[in-house]
Amino acid sequence: MIKVSKANGSNEAVIQIEDGVQKVEQQLNADELEALIANLASLRAEMTPVHSGQFVPGYTASYECDNLLWSTMPDPGKRGLLIAFQNSGLGWITMRMSRAQIEDLVTNIEFSLLDLSRAQNRDTTVTADIEPDNMVPIRS
């Protein structure tokens, strides 16, 4: 069994590994913990079953943020763009994307915004100076 927790009164993490016979405990600072997370993610990427190629809301973890930090810049290798998002626990998550992938992403965002607008319009009702019994939903 592996357990990771924050060390009491410290800014370090404690990782405990126990096999039923012996127990090993090691303290990790932020850089060491980040290196462990990156190593685990790299190992997972090589394992089966592979992660699904289909995003499923509710099944895939979703992180909400009211102060999302993001950045884009040309790829130094001139193969496209780098797009990065900052996660408070994982740091900067950067993806190299080709121009075609970026164009597809922009198109997909535009369609999703249209879908959002349509959904919001379906839920909107007229409320200006009329009696509640006379309110008519606005439909697109």
Side-chain angles (χ1 to χ4, degrees), residues 1-2 18 21 25 27 34-35 42-44 49 51 54 58-59 73 78 81 86 96 98 100 105 111 120 126 130-131:
M1 177 178 82
I2 299 174
E18 190 173 350
V21 176
E25 186 173 292
Q27 287 196 318
E34 192 166 313
S42 180
L43 289 171
R44 175 59 183 98
H51 287 291
Q54 180 68 39
Y59 179 77
M73 65 182 63
K78 298 179 177 55
L81 296 178
Q86 188 190 52
R96 178 177 289 117
S98 69
L105 176 62
F111 278 113
Q120 288 172 334
V126 176
I130 59 175
E131 294 298 318

Side-chain angles (χ1 to χ4, degrees), residues 18 27 29 50 64-65 68 84 89 91 101 108 112 130-131:
E18 190 173 350
Q27 287 196 318
N29 65 30
V50 298
E64 288 192 29
C65 177
L68 178 65
Q101 288 174 310
N108 191 272
S112 293
I130 59 175
E131 294 298 318

Side-chain angles (χ1 to χ4, degrees), residues 83-118:
I83 183 167
F85 296 93
Q86 188 190 52
N87 175 284
S88 60
L90 299 174
W92 285 96
I93 300 167
T94 306
M95 292 167 277
R96 178 177 289 117
M97 299 177 75
S98 69
R99 182 179 188 93
Q101 288 174 310
I102 292 291
E103 289 171 355
D104 287 346
L105 176 62
V106 169
T107 299
N108 191 272
I109 289 171
E110 288 171 346
F111 278 113
S112 293
L113 286 172
L114 280 173
D115 290 343
L116 175 64
S117 180
R118 288 182 186 126

Side-chain angles (χ1 to χ4, degrees), residues 33-53:
L33 184 61
E34 192 166 313
L36 175 62
I37 292 168
N39 185 262
L40 290 172
S42 180
L43 289 171
R44 175 59 183 98
E46 297 175 12
M47 297 172 72
T48 57
V50 298
H51 287 291
S52 171

